[in-house]
Amino acid sequence: MHSGKDISKHITTKVLLERKKKKEKITMLTAYDYLTAKFLDEAGIEMILVGDSLGNVIQGNETTLPVTLEQIIYHTNMVKKAVKNALVVGDMPFMSYQIGTEEAIRNAGRLMKETGCDAVKMEGGKYLVETIRRIVEIGIPVMGHLGLTPQSINKFGSYKTRGVERAEAEAIKRDALLLEKAGCFAIVLEKVPAALGKAVSKSLKIPTIGIGAGPDCDGQVLVTQDMLGMIEDFKPRFVRRYMNLAKDMKEAFKRYSKDIKENKFPSEKESY
Ligand code: KIV
């Protein structure tokens, strides 16, 4: 059955490769609900990530570690319903792909089958090569994620920039090439020096999508709540705020409250 999508505008992994070849930048943001996804899609954002960052911005957890596959499936379903053109990536949560290839295939398959997402994302390098190769082979596009990988926060001990030391920078470069060879269609590069972001992007045929990885990545991603200024106490250098929505929302809530207290809402016009 036809989905009602305008095929000519639909973003596929092939379109993303073309963007890189033509040196056209790629846009990506996160969404976890229907309306946000609808607005992103209508604004022409090309990729929408149902990130495990929902553990932070939706659930209020310190880390992304508690997020479950069921929760990602739940949110990806809402997002997918709203999207006509963007490529929707479902994030594989902590411990849904690390145990072994078979379990990773089963979970990536569930995520795609139960939500209709276009691709899945996984954090990590060399140790994931065989898993990614098999998942891609069975027809599930995989996006890699290198640099600061928040699911490894307990190993790193902090959210500081990765790949500053030469040895780690070299490892990230090697991992990026391995992920490309394994079949990833794109790689998120998170919080690495701009020079490393540039070097990795130049070394790959597939696009890099940077978050705090400098201007030379092939595309950029941010957590939507961060760029809307909804998270007041989190402002890393790589976040550009396009709105101050936290302030605007609180202002609206206060005005609503005042109107009720002063018997100004609802008015006659707003009544039956
Ligand atoms: O979970 C997420 O939102 C992410 C992005 C920060 C890339 O992985």
Side-chain angles (χ1 to χ4, degrees):
M1 196 177 75
H2 194 268
S3 63
K5 268 184 183 169
D6 179 351
I7 304 281
S8 64
K9 286 194 200 152
H10 184 49
I11 306 294
T12 61
T13 56
K14 206 165 154 237
V15 169
L16 297 174
L17 275 174
E18 286 301 311
R19 292 267 195 281
K20 169 140 182 164
K21 268 194 211 152
K22 291 184 189 157
K23 296 190 174 10
E24 292 169 0
K25 296 280 184 174
I26 298 164
T27 56
M28 184 179 203
L29 282 168
T30 62
Y32 321 103
D33 68 286
Y34 176 85
L35 271 185
T36 308
K38 184 170 182 286
F39 298 154
L40 294 179
D41 194 53
E42 287 173 2
I45 297 297
E46 293 160 310
M47 298 173 79
I48 298 179
L49 172 64
V50 186
D52 64 356
S53 50
L54 71 84
N56 308 113
V57 298
I58 302 295
Q59 299 175 340
N61 294 316
E62 280 292 315
T63 73
T64 58
L65 303 192
V67 175
T68 66
L69 183 64
E70 274 63 32
Q71 290 163 350
I72 293 282
I73 289 173
Y74 175 77
H75 287 276
T76 308
N77 261 313
M78 298 177 202
V79 166
K80 198 47 203 175
K81 264 186 236 167
V83 172
K84 291 203 170 75
N85 298 315
L87 184 134
V88 175
V89 181
D91 214 359
M92 297 283 287
F94 181 56
M95 294 317 289
S96 67
Y97 58 96
Q98 290 90 341
I99 293 167
T101 297
E102 248 188 56
E103 190 153 337
I105 293 174
R106 189 175 304 114
N107 288 333
R110 271 197 67 195
L111 184 45
M112 180 162 272
K113 203 175 164 86
E114 294 177 31
T115 69
C117 68
D118 303 297
V120 301
K121 178 171 84 59
M122 294 174 197
E123 296 182 5
K126 195 174 170 198
Y127 87 99
L128 276 179
V129 163
E130 181 54 15
T131 297
I132 291 174
R133 195 187 64 72
R134 294 276 314 280
I135 292 176
V136 172
E137 198 172 55
I138 62 171
I140 301 174
V142 176
M143 182 173 206
H145 186 154
L146 295 171
L148 176 63
T149 47
Q151 292 176 15
S152 301
I153 183 60
N154 292 322
K155 183 177 82 180
F156 293 148
S158 81
Y159 287 101
K160 72 178 202 303
T161 313
R162 309 307 310 179
V164 176
E165 303 297 329
R166 197 188 166 129
E168 193 177 43
E170 291 305 318
I172 291 170
K173 284 188 205 165
R174 277 197 305 274
D175 279 349
L177 289 169
L178 287 173
L179 292 188
E180 175 173 85
K181 205 162 166 227
C184 281
F185 71 90
I187 298 176
V188 167
L189 273 183
E190 182 163 352
K191 215 168 175 198
V192 297
L196 179 57
K198 182 175 182 176
V200 172
S201 305
K202 270 184 85 175
S203 74
L204 300 177
K205 290 187 189 68
I206 58 171
T208 57
I209 308 295
I211 172 163
D216 295 303
C217 291
D218 304 298
Q220 298 291 330
V221 60
L222 284 175
V223 169
T224 296
Q225 281 77 356
D226 287 340
M227 61 85 79
L228 292 179
M230 292 179 82
I231 321 283
E232 289 175 299
D233 52 1
F234 179 69
K235 175 75 177 76
R237 194 200 300 197
F238 64 79
V239 171
R240 182 179 295 179
R241 283 188 184 157
Y242 286 82
M243 279 185 84
N244 196 341
L245 196 53
K247 188 167 162 274
D248 291 349
M249 284 174 81
K250 282 191 277 186
E251 196 49 47
F253 300 150
K254 280 183 197 162
R255 280 174 40 218
Y256 170 74
S257 172
K258 189 166 176 281
D259 285 351
I260 295 171
K261 298 279 186 199
E262 293 175 0
N263 252 322
K264 289 183 182 153
F265 176 81
S267 66
E268 222 176 277
K269 261 178 140 178
E270 289 156 335
S271 305
Y272 299 95

